[in-house]
Amino acid sequence: MEIRQLRYFVTVAEEANFTRAAARLHLAQPGVSAQVRQLEKELGHPLLDRSGRSMTLTEVGEAVLPYARAALSAVEAVRQTADEFTGLLRGKVTLGLVSGAAAAAHEFDLAAVLAGFHEDHPQVEIALTENTSDQMLTALHRGELDLAVIGLADEEPRPGLSVQVLVDEPLVAAVAPGDPALTPPNRTSIPLAELRDRPLISLPRGTGIRGVLDRACAQAGFQPRIAFEAAAPLFLAQLAARGLGVAVVPALPAGAASAFGLRTLEITEPGLRGRLALTWRTDGPSSPAATALLDLLRQRLLRPHAAQTS
């Protein structure tokens, strides 16, 4: 029995699919399948039921899974303990980034922080993935991500997770010249109710800002008319500049609105906020490398208004 066989088995059990497990392990699917079958042969029992559409654990597989996870944790603990005596950090840290967050680079320089961390700890591999906030929250709970920068749709974090707000700014309606929303011409805000029957341009479902918009509209008694969706706020602004609808976006960087020929009106009654937050499991990351990166991100990305909640 080999450690890699246990790792492959645990990954397949979590993904319920050999193809997804192989992709997560960055290996070819036949190799993963062959190693799991070898493990089953050594144990003398099938661990996976392959007869249905989705992979399920057999009774023996259910019983073996927690011990396989414990064995992998013990091996990692041995490696970490040895590294502590040399002051060496190594391993892999998985960091998630919400789709479109790169547009907030004017607010915090994540790339510079990651580059500095890599320079200080060259033995640590950093895996950066981009996805929706909802998908990354699920990945955090499942242990597939160590840390994530997500958009917050709710006032309180989900149970078991801690957050530190990095960006907190009002949501605005970006409109093209001549739009009816600009009457009177000197107005600076627009009530949410005025967007009831307007075609809206928004971030996709599963993002924090879209969650804030959908929830606020539901509380106001209507469903937003989403005409276009895209992950990049600046592209949403470009669509609005072409007269395709009202873009609901975070406050645009200085000069961006005028560059697109747009006016922005702060959404009120209620006021909507777009928040990006660093998120991690409350019981802490699973490795010293991930803990070190979390500490650095909290130091370097923290802004005066930011708050931590758990």
Side-chain angles (χ1 to χ4, degrees):
M1 185 185 307
E2 300 179 7
I3 291 298
R4 64 173 175 165
Q5 293 172 338
L6 296 179
R7 181 174 293 109
Y8 296 174
F9 164 61
V10 169
T11 306
V12 172
E14 291 176 348
E15 294 293 340
N17 181 279
F18 273 109
T19 301
R20 289 196 299 269
R24 181 171 150 190
L25 291 164
H26 305 290
L27 296 170
Q29 186 269 336
V32 175
S33 180
Q35 288 298 320
V36 173
R37 286 192 180 277
Q38 181 62 32
L39 176 62
E40 291 175 316
K41 182 178 179 181
E42 291 185 30
L43 294 176
H45 295 278
L47 302 176
L48 299 167
D49 183 352
R50 301 165 173 83
S51 62
R53 285 181 171 234
S54 62
M55 193 87 59
T56 59
L57 290 170
T58 64
E59 185 176 0
V60 175
E62 290 279 6
V64 166
L65 182 60
Y67 292 101
R69 284 178 168 147
L72 294 175
S73 296
V75 169
E76 183 60 26
V78 169
R79 185 176 293 118
Q80 292 174 8
T81 301
D83 288 345
E84 287 174 4
F85 282 90
T86 62
L88 175 68
L89 278 183
R90 63 181 177 183
K92 182 177 180 179
V93 180
T94 53
L95 173 66
L97 186 65
V98 67
S99 301
H106 65 288
E107 296 285 353
F108 58 89
D109 194 346
L110 179 60
V113 177
L114 295 181
F117 184 84
H118 176 68
E119 183 176 349
D120 292 338
H121 308 290
Q123 298 298 316
V124 176
E125 177 187 355
I126 303 174
L128 181 65
T129 62
E130 189 177 58
N131 211 325
T132 65
S133 296
D134 284 353
Q135 290 290 335
M136 290 193 297
L137 286 169
T138 299
L140 279 169
H141 276 296
R142 293 172 61 178
E144 296 168 8
L145 287 176
D146 295 304
L147 313 166
V149 175
I150 68 167
L152 295 179
D154 302 310
E155 292 298 323
E156 298 295 331
R158 295 188 183 182
L161 296 179
S162 295
V163 302
Q164 183 166 308
V165 175
L166 305 176
V167 177
D168 186 343
E169 55 193 2
L171 297 186
V172 300
V175 297
D179 190 283
L182 295 178
T183 305
N186 61 345
R187 76 186 305 189
T188 58
S189 63
I190 182 171
L192 179 66
E194 285 194 29
L195 302 179
R196 175 190 294 265
D197 298 317
R198 301 294 308 277
L200 302 182
I201 304 169
S202 173
L203 293 170
R205 288 186 182 276
T207 57
I209 287 175
R210 178 61 177 274
V212 169
L213 175 63
D214 287 347
R215 184 179 60 196
C217 290
Q219 291 174 346
F222 69 95
Q223 182 175 348
R225 287 180 53 200
I226 305 298
F228 295 92
E229 295 180 338
L234 290 182
F235 182 61
L236 300 181
Q238 288 178 304
L239 293 173
R242 297 290 184 176
L244 296 174
V246 177
V248 178
V249 292
L252 296 172
S258 58
F260 292 130
L262 293 170
R263 283 272 307 280
T264 59
L265 305 174
E266 185 171 343
I267 299 173
T268 60
E269 301 177 28
L272 306 185
R273 308 290 299 184
R275 297 187 298 158
L276 284 178
L278 178 63
T279 312
W280 64 95
R281 290 185 298 279
T282 302
D283 58 4
S286 59
S287 71
T291 299
L293 181 56
L294 172 60
D295 291 342
L296 181 63
L297 290 171
R298 295 182 68 189
Q299 293 169 15
R300 294 286 300 278
L301 302 184
L302 178 63
R303 302 181 70 203
H305 67 264
Q308 178 186 345
T309 319
S310 59

